[in-house]
Amino acid sequence: MARPTILALNLTDERQSKLRFICMKLGLLMKTVPAEDFHQPIGALCGLLPRAEGAAEASFADELLVFCHMSSMQVNRFLQTARQMRFAPVALKAILTPTNAAWTPVQLCAELKQERAAIMQGETAEHES
C-alpha cells in the first residue's frame, strides 16, 4: 500500500517547515510540489499515474493541500494536530479521488474555488470528470 502523503503547493518555506514537522510527528510523508509541476496530474505527483509529457505550464497562487493514500481517520488526525500546533489553516484542501487523480493542481484549485463559491451561495457544485 502507498504511504500516506500530503502534497503541499504554494506554501511559504516557514509553513512548509511547520507542515513537515507535523507530518513527521504523524508518520506522514510531505511532498512539496514545485510550480513547474503544476501541469502534472495529481495522481502523477503522488506516484499513482505516469507523468504527463509536453503539457502546457500553468500556475496559481493559492495554498493547496492534497491528502493522498490517507483514510478519513488519518486526515482528521492531521487536521486536529495542525490546529493544536497552531498551523494556520490552508483554505484549499482535497482528498485524492479517482476523479481528481487525473486533474492538474491548476484544475483542482479551480474546482475547489468553484465548489466553495457554490457552497457560499447555498448551491451544489458540479464537478467535471
Side-chain angles (χ1 to χ4, degrees):
M1 182 169 185
R3 183 167 175 199
T5 302
I6 297 178
L7 301 179
L9 297 90
N10 289 333
L11 271 64
T12 63
D13 289 344
E14 180 181 337
R15 287 182 49 78
Q16 284 180 45
S17 180
K18 191 163 192 173
L19 179 63
R20 192 172 309 282
F21 179 77
I22 295 168
C23 288
M24 282 191 332
K25 181 176 176 151
L26 297 174
L28 305 171
L29 177 64
M30 186 203 110
K31 182 176 178 186
T32 301
V33 179
E36 56 265 18
D37 281 345
F38 286 6
H39 67 282
Q40 292 293 327
I42 298 288
L45 297 173
C46 67
L48 244 162
L49 299 173
R51 291 179 62 86
E53 292 187 35
E57 288 194 33
S59 190
F60 61 96
D62 302 273
E63 290 184 332
L64 172 63
L65 296 181
V66 183
F67 303 105
C68 306
H69 319 298
M70 293 174 66
S71 68
S72 58
M73 189 171 82
Q74 289 172 310
V75 172
N76 289 335
R77 186 166 174 228
F78 166 80
L79 294 172
Q80 181 181 27
T81 302
R83 273 192 300 276
Q84 289 171 346
M85 296 186 73
R86 291 181 167 66
F87 182 74
V90 173
L92 301 178
K93 296 180 277 301
I95 295 174
L96 179 70
T97 67
T99 299
N100 69 21
W103 297 348
T104 67
V106 174
Q107 290 169 302
L108 179 59
C109 181
E111 288 287 332
L112 290 172
K113 285 179 163 183
Q114 181 181 2
E115 184 176 275
R116 263 184 104 118
I119 291 169
M120 297 295 261
Q121 295 175 3
E123 301 170 4
T124 304
E126 295 292 326
H127 294 290
E128 294 179 23
S129 27

